[in-house]
């Protein structure tokens, strides 16, 4: 009788090839955690579309880096292009819009639409890198190179050290600017540190994971945490955990059910918001019975 060999399960295949999946999982964990932490500032300061505009600009930066290498003959690291354009967009959005006779929303719309449209135009001239451009904009990349992981890890570590060190000052200046001025805090410096942190993390993470999941980590993580109505330090902690769960859980979901990674991570972040809403509803339902 011919012996039939059982096919390995997906889990066995995953464990056998874990070395291949380790870097993208670590990258998703770090990016999700740090962007989840920063998302509390993004949401509470009503800067959700700042994150979207900066992520689009990072995509344009990568496209321009490819364009320079292919058509102009000089090499620019894509992660450098992503970070430079993300910082440029951040600095633009930090300017006082009334000086340009614009509203804040107009400035955001201009940055988002211009960078998104320009990324498509530049991408049209670098057809051989079209897959990379799609990966950056929508997060379809499955693998992360060691260089991308190191860049995300170093940037994430620096951002977290600065933010934990200056946590009280940055939160005070972010949520009570008048009080911070009265106390003599350097509000403009603290604002600058926060915005540059967002710009750098969005830039390096968008290059590694894609703009769509980066936008989800930097907004939906805080929305899920804020649903639980916790104290501010606990909100930062829950948002950080939500970001890591979205990054790692989304990647595993994509692997086991054969879905695109970026879309899975984004949907995972949205599902966590739904779970937080359900928990909040349950608590409110039970609370009167106490």
């Amino acid at each position: 009788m011919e012996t039939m060999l059982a096919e390995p399960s997906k889990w066995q295949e995953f464990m056998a090839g874990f070395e291949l999946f380790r870097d993208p999982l670590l990258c998703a964990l770090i990016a999700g955690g740090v962007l989840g932490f920063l998302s509390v500032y993004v949401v509470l300061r009503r800067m959700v579309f700042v994150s979207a505009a900066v992520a689009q600009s990072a995509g344009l930066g990568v496209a321009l880096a490819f364009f320079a290498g292919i058509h102009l003959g000089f090499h620019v690291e894509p992660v450098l292009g992503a970070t430079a354009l993300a910082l440029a967009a951040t600095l633009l959005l930090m300017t006082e819009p009334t000086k340009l006779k614009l509203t804040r929303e107009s400035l955001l719309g201009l940055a988002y639409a211009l960078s998104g449209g320009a990324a498509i135009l530049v991408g049209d001239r670098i057809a051989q890198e079209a897959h990379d451009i799609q990966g950056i904009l929508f997060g379809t990349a499955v693998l992360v190179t060691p260089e991308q992981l190191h860049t995300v890890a170093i940037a994430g570590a620096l951002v977290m050290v600065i933010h934990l060190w200056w946590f009280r000052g940055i939160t005070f200046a972010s949520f009570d600017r008048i009080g911070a001025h009265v106390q003599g805090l350097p509000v403009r410096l603290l604002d600058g540190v926060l915005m540059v942190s967002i710009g750098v993390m969005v830039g390096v993470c968008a290059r590694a994971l894609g703009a769509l999941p980066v936008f989800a980590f930097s907004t939906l993580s805080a929305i899920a945490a804020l649903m639980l109505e916790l104290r501010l330090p606990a909100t930062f902690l829950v948002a950080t955990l939500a970001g890591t769960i979205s990054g790692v859980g989304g990647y595993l979901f994509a692997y086991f059910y054969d879905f695109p990674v970026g879309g899975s991570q984004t949907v995972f972040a949205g599902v966590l918001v739904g779970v937080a809403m359900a928990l909040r509803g349950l608590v409110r339902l039970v609370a009167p019975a106490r």
Side-chain angles (χ1 to χ4, degrees), residues 148-164:
Q148 290 170 351
L149 173 62
H150 293 156
T151 305
V152 170
I154 291 170
L158 288 174
V159 165
M160 288 308 299
V161 166
I162 292 171
H163 277 263
L164 293 177

Side-chain angles (χ1 to χ4, degrees), residues 32 36 60 63 69-70 94 140 174 188 196 209 214 257 266:
L60 173 60
I70 294 169
M94 284 176 66
T140 55
S174 293
R188 289 179 65 85
V196 169
L209 301 176
V214 164
Y257 295 98
T266 303

